[in-house]
Amino acid sequence: MTRIEQGSYDAIVIGAGFSGLYALIKLREMGLTATLLEAAPSIGGTWYWNRYPGARVDVESVDYSYSFSEDLQQEWSWSERYAGQEEILDYLHHVATRFGLTPDIHLGQRVTTLRYVDNEDRWQIVTADATVRHGRYCVMSTGFLSAPLAPVFDGLDSFTGMILKSTEWPDRADFSGQSVGIVGTGSTGVQMLPHIASAAATTYVFQRTPAYTVPLRNKLQLKSFEEDVKRDYTLWRLRQRQAPTGAIAVGSAAAPASAADSALSVSDAERMAIYEQCWENGGIVSFYLSFPDLMADAAANQTLSEFIRNKIRRRVHDPAVAERLIPDYPVMSKRLCADTGYFEAFNLHHVHLVDIADDGLQFDGPGVFVGSDHYDIDILVLATGFDAITGAMKRIHITGRGGQSLASHWEHEVRTAGGLMSSGFPNMFWINGPGSSAADAAPPLMAEDQMAVVGRIIVAADSAGVVADPPMVMEKEWLDECGATMSATLLPKAKSWYNGANVPGKVATGMIYLGGPVRYLELLNQFADRLIDGIEESGTEVRERNQLWAD
Ligand code: NAP
């Protein structure tokens, strides 16, 4: 294919989700020439692709939004407590228009290759249509839940029905009168089941692992609450940034402080009252903020695990079905889900739970087999999750200094410096990406905070006339940091996207920082200070050397 040369920029941003749009705003604000490349035909990132029925955010809308512009905060109104996928897209389109981003966004541009050109100190970016662009800086905003995980089931090619993927949902899907099989009972499957079940003639839920899920209790946004937040959004954002979850809205109010240091330090009655209050508030944030040791201490965790198990027993009428829907691993060792009628769907006569943990799914023509049992399905829905955090970057062939590939750099562990860069990949940054605490933060705010650090590094590198490339020792330190935070939690007790165990053979050491967004940003800024010191020193060396040659 003939390559088309397209231009050279100070910075190239990849991905037009929350992170990428803000990265573009920030880079332009810094006076840099920047362009954004997006594979999809429209902006939105994961919110563009994941438009399955029931898709909505699981932290409150007032928290899941940008803070960088007071005007934007004041003028935008969310219609629901938890915005639906369409409204989130509307918001992102509004941002793109309001800040004049559209001319700098190139849609339908899937980046296939990123090559650092050593003797030019810049990145060469090639897209699937063989267009070549160059940028001195490269900001990867490729998303941490964006690379779909497509399981390979035996004989799937022979399936004669329709296959729908939650991550590539069509404009229209009609379930009426159909027999539907859903695979996947994580946040996505939990959100879509009630919608699909309300239309389909028969629904089978093929469950490998049951989910802990709590009622979302979505409602129309209360005007009075919106006004309260907007009265001092700056303070709200400050409190949000100080929270271990990156979100503080619970039940259309600000969350109270944690009730105690430990779930075990209060009486049973007090603890139950707090859990009941969280249950009534709706959503997951209340639970995450209730006691700080729920994700770390097995006995504390057991109190909440049992609380939710008992709720499942009450929500599902058939006790035998309820027992099969009850998880046996610690709550929050996978991300807690929030639902609107998930368990109640199993009380409908046409919704059937099928366990596939032992036999998996086999296809041979129409329908599907689980062991020797055959299920007649017209539509197979895959809600099977993501190759999270590193997956999107692995889909691009990235080579750094000396032609070293990022894949080989990350062969044994995900080596990052501060969850922002890797050694040998100069001037490349990722936002809400590997090694960061994106999974515990509000991604729009984390994008702003990480981009502030990126901005400092770019200013330092440009004024020193050198590239930013962290030394390997910083990666070693960060690996230790990430490892220590992971082993201090109960997350290794379950197979999930957090620890990479949902993808067979995946290398995930160092992939995620679990010390919380507050500590993460402290450490990230310390990392940046050291990197900038190094940049300034090498800038001085370069200037002195040039001076010597000039003399
Ligand atoms: P997920 O949590 O990873 O769940 C994937 C589901 O697919 C699991 O039940 C998994 O079973 C099942 N699965 C995967 N491969 C399978 C196979 N080969 N055979 C049978 N079952 C298989 O993915 P997700 O539901 O898309 O959610 C991912 C994350 O995205 C969430 O944790 C959340 O952070 C975010 N999200 C948020 C919302 C929201 O509420 N705003 C909505 C959707 C997603 P196992 O558990 O046995 O692996």
Side-chain angles (χ1 to χ4, degrees), residues 52 56 58 184-188 191 208-209 334-335 384-385 497:
Y52 57 83
R56 65 175 65 250
D58 64 2
T185 51
S187 300
T188 302
Q191 282 189 332
R208 191 164 70 178
T209 310
K334 285 169 175 272
R335 186 174 169 90
T384 44
W497 61 263

Side-chain angles (χ1 to χ4, degrees), residues 190-450:
V190 156
Q191 282 189 332
M192 66 167 58
L193 171 64
H195 293 266
I196 293 176
S198 71
T202 310
T203 305
Y204 296 102
V205 177
F206 297 111
Q207 172 185 268
R208 191 164 70 178
T209 310
Y212 284 99
T213 162
V214 298
L216 186 69
R217 302 196 199 286
N218 184 37
K219 292 191 176 71
L220 290 180
Q221 184 69 283
L222 277 180
K223 272 279 155 231
S224 55
F225 171 60
E226 185 186 333
E227 281 162 16
D228 283 351
V229 174
K230 287 185 175 178
R231 199 165 297 121
D232 195 348
Y233 225 141
T234 308
L235 180 64
W236 181 275
R237 296 301 191 182
L238 194 68
R239 293 186 53 197
Q240 200 187 332
R241 282 185 158 90
Q242 285 162 353
T245 47
I248 53 168
V250 297
S252 291
S258 281
D261 289 346
S262 166
L264 303 176
S265 69
V266 295
S267 71
D268 290 354
E270 282 172 278
R271 189 169 52 243
M272 283 302 282
I274 288 162
Y275 289 159
E276 286 294 351
Q277 183 59 57
C278 296
W279 188 263
E280 285 315 309
N281 287 340
I284 62 175
V285 171
S286 271
F287 285 104
Y288 278 101
L289 292 176
S290 61
F291 296 104
D293 59 346
L294 289 175
M295 283 177 72
D297 182 289
N301 181 284
Q302 177 68 3
T303 63
L304 181 59
S305 297
E306 267 313 304
F307 174 84
I308 299 181
R309 288 176 188 142
N310 285 328
K311 290 290 188 187
I312 298 173
R313 291 186 177 102
R314 261 169 249 157
R315 292 177 71 182
V316 180
H317 296 164
D318 182 334
V321 175
E323 289 311 310
R324 288 159 56 209
L325 285 165
I326 288 177
D328 61 3
Y329 54 88
V331 66
M332 294 174 175
S333 56
K334 285 169 175 272
R335 186 174 169 90
L336 186 58
C337 306
D339 70 274
T340 305
Y342 175 70
F343 289 118
E344 289 73 12
F346 292 95
N347 297 331
L348 302 170
H349 68 278
H350 66 288
V351 176
H352 310 283
L353 179 66
V354 182
D355 297 305
I356 59 165
D358 294 334
D359 295 313
L361 297 170
Q362 299 87 37
F363 294 83
D364 186 11
V368 56
F369 284 94
V370 177
S372 56
D373 295 329
H374 184 261
Y375 298 89
D376 194 9
I377 56 168
D378 307 307
I379 302 176
L380 176 71
V381 175
L382 295 178
T384 44
F386 301 89
D387 180 356
I389 306 175
T390 50
M393 285 173 65
K394 282 189 311 199
R395 289 195 291 186
I396 302 172
H397 182 59
I398 303 176
T399 51
R401 280 194 202 274
Q404 190 199 6
S405 73
L406 190 65
S408 66
H409 193 67
W410 287 355
E411 189 181 355
H412 302 296
E413 60 244 322
V414 182
R415 288 156 55 186
T416 84
L420 192 75
M421 306 181 74
S422 270
S423 183
F425 299 82
N427 287 2
M428 173 180 276
F429 308 94
W430 42 89
I431 303 305
N432 278 308
S436 77
S437 74
D440 288 343
L445 299 194
M446 183 52 71
E448 294 172 0
D449 295 339
Q450 284 190 314

Side-chain angles (χ1 to χ4, degrees), residues 4-156:
I4 313 153
E5 285 289 335
Q6 258 291 346
S8 193
Y9 305 86
D10 288 325
I12 296 212
V13 179
I14 301 170
F18 270 96
S19 301
L21 295 182
Y22 179 69
L24 184 58
I25 291 170
K26 172 76 183 172
L27 293 163
R28 291 195 337 182
E29 208 178 83
M30 291 172 65
L32 300 174
T33 57
T35 196
L36 186 156
L37 307 178
E38 165 58 53
S42 187
I43 65 168
T46 203
W47 291 106
Y48 169 81
W49 295 106
N50 287 266
R51 45 191 156 161
Y52 57 83
R56 65 175 65 250
V57 65
D58 64 2
V59 301
E60 291 199 31
S61 318
V62 294
D63 286 340
Y64 197 79
S65 46
Y66 294 118
S67 73
F68 69 89
S69 159
E70 178 63 8
D71 288 347
L72 174 66
Q73 294 192 137
Q74 292 299 332
E75 77 202 11
W76 186 263
S77 286
W78 295 103
S79 68
E80 294 176 275
R81 256 171 84 179
Y82 297 93
Q85 174 264 348
E86 278 184 27
E87 192 171 14
I88 295 172
L89 275 191
D90 287 348
Y91 174 73
L92 291 175
H93 280 278
H94 171 74
V95 170
T97 308
R98 192 191 193 293
F99 295 95
L101 305 183
T102 313
D104 288 330
I105 297 177
H106 298 272
L107 300 168
Q109 293 286 293
R110 179 168 290 285
V111 175
T112 53
T113 308
L114 277 170
R115 184 171 75 91
Y116 186 71
V117 188
D118 286 285
N119 54 3
E120 297 174 9
D121 281 343
R122 61 178 187 162
W123 286 92
Q124 182 194 67
I125 295 106
V126 185
T127 48
D129 62 358
T131 303
V132 181
R133 296 175 176 86
H134 289 92
R136 293 191 299 116
Y137 294 98
C138 190
V139 179
M140 308 293 288
S141 312
T142 42
F144 67 100
L145 290 163
S146 56
L149 183 61
V152 185
F153 295 113
D154 284 351
L156 186 58

